[in-house]
């Protein structure tokens, strides 16, 4: 598995994962009706730096190899101007690879890249409190839970649940 900068050619593999994640209604504030353009702009819009984690796959019958995207993340400025030294990041992992360390590897890579880009901190503005894998991951990587926003997320199955703001100084 490798992590590399995402290109617009990756979008055809990223879109089904995006759809899968937002369809769950339990981790992102996108509605299921979000357009392909909305998804593209989110991952490739102005000021967005995206990376993909992929694995090489081989086709023994054809003696050829390709790659499959397992997940992706982006880094942007959390705010412009005087707040531009704080990064913000978003992550998506395919359903079939969850629980296999993809999110952790991307999280570690994100921290390294944010430092290399000159950011002084990373802030996650809207981690869903019921997303236990994400909550555990960010805490285990050293992020501090700053506060909870009561009932800020309308979970597809659970109704209104808290969103959490996480922060890490770099």
């Amino acid at each position: 598995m490798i992590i590399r900068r995402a290109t617009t050619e990756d979008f055809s593999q990223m879109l089904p994962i995006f759809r899968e994640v937002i369809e769950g209604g339990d981790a992102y504030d996108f509605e299921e009706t979000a357009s392909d353009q909305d998804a593209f702009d989110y991952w490739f819009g102005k000021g967005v730096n995206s990376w993909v984690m992929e694995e090489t796959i081989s086709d023994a019958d054809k003696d050829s190899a390709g790659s499959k995207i397992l997940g992706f993340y982006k880094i942007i400025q959390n705010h412009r101007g005087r707040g531009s030294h704080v990064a913000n990041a978003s992550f998506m992992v395919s359903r079939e690879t969850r629980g296999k360390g993809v999110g952790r590897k991307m999280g570690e890579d994100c921290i390294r890249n944010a430092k290399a880009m000159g950011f002084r901190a990373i802030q996650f503005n809207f981690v869903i409190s019921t997303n236990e894998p994400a909550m555990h991951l960010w805490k285990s990587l050293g992020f501090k839970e700053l506060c909870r926003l009561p009932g800020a997320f309308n979970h597809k199955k659970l109704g209104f649940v808290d969103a959490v703001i996480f922060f890490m100084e770099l």
Side-chain angles (χ1 to χ4, degrees):
M1 292 186 284
I2 65 162
I3 299 175
R4 62 168 176 77
R5 282 282 191 153
T7 68
T8 55
E9 288 77 32
D10 294 320
F11 186 66
S12 64
Q13 284 193 60
M14 294 168 71
L15 184 59
I17 297 169
F18 174 86
R19 293 264 168 242
E20 175 185 281
V21 169
I22 66 168
E23 183 178 277
D26 60 357
Y28 264 81
D29 56 359
F30 279 98
E31 294 285 343
E32 291 91 337
T33 56
S35 71
D36 292 358
Q37 188 64 52
D38 291 335
F40 183 87
D41 293 345
Y42 189 73
W43 296 102
F44 293 102
K46 183 179 179 186
V48 178
N49 297 283
S50 293
W51 287 262
V52 295
M53 176 176 255
E54 66 181 1
E55 70 177 348
T56 302
I57 52 174
S58 62
D59 186 342
D61 297 332
K62 298 180 182 177
D63 292 326
S64 64
S67 64
K68 179 179 182 181
I69 292 176
L70 308 175
F72 39 93
Y73 75 91
K74 74 175 191 174
I75 298 174
I76 61 171
Q77 294 175 344
N78 196 46
H79 292 284
R80 62 184 168 264
R82 295 191 182 274
S84 64
H85 59 282
V86 177
N88 181 275
S90 299
F91 296 76
M92 287 189 174
V93 176
S94 71
R95 183 176 294 130
E96 67 188 59
T97 57
R98 289 182 193 148
K100 297 180 180 176
V102 171
R104 174 167 298 281
K105 288 176 184 159
M106 290 193 310
E108 293 166 347
D109 193 67
C110 175
I111 293 167
R112 279 190 301 277
N113 280 321
K115 284 180 185 177
M117 295 168 73
F119 288 105
R120 296 178 47 113
I122 301 175
Q123 181 172 318
F124 299 142
N125 298 325
F126 211 75
V127 178
I128 309 312
S129 63
T130 55
N131 184 345
E132 292 176 16
M135 294 289 292
H136 172 76
L137 175 61
W138 304 133
K139 288 176 184 178
S140 73
L141 287 175
F143 284 84
K144 304 285 187 258
E145 181 177 324
L146 294 184
C147 68
R148 289 180 175 246
L149 308 171
F153 180 74
N154 190 1
H155 191 287
K156 190 172 185 177
K157 294 178 183 167
L158 302 175
F160 296 104
V161 299
D162 296 352
V164 178
I165 297 175
F166 279 98
F167 190 82
M168 172 190 271
E169 288 187 44
L170 300 174

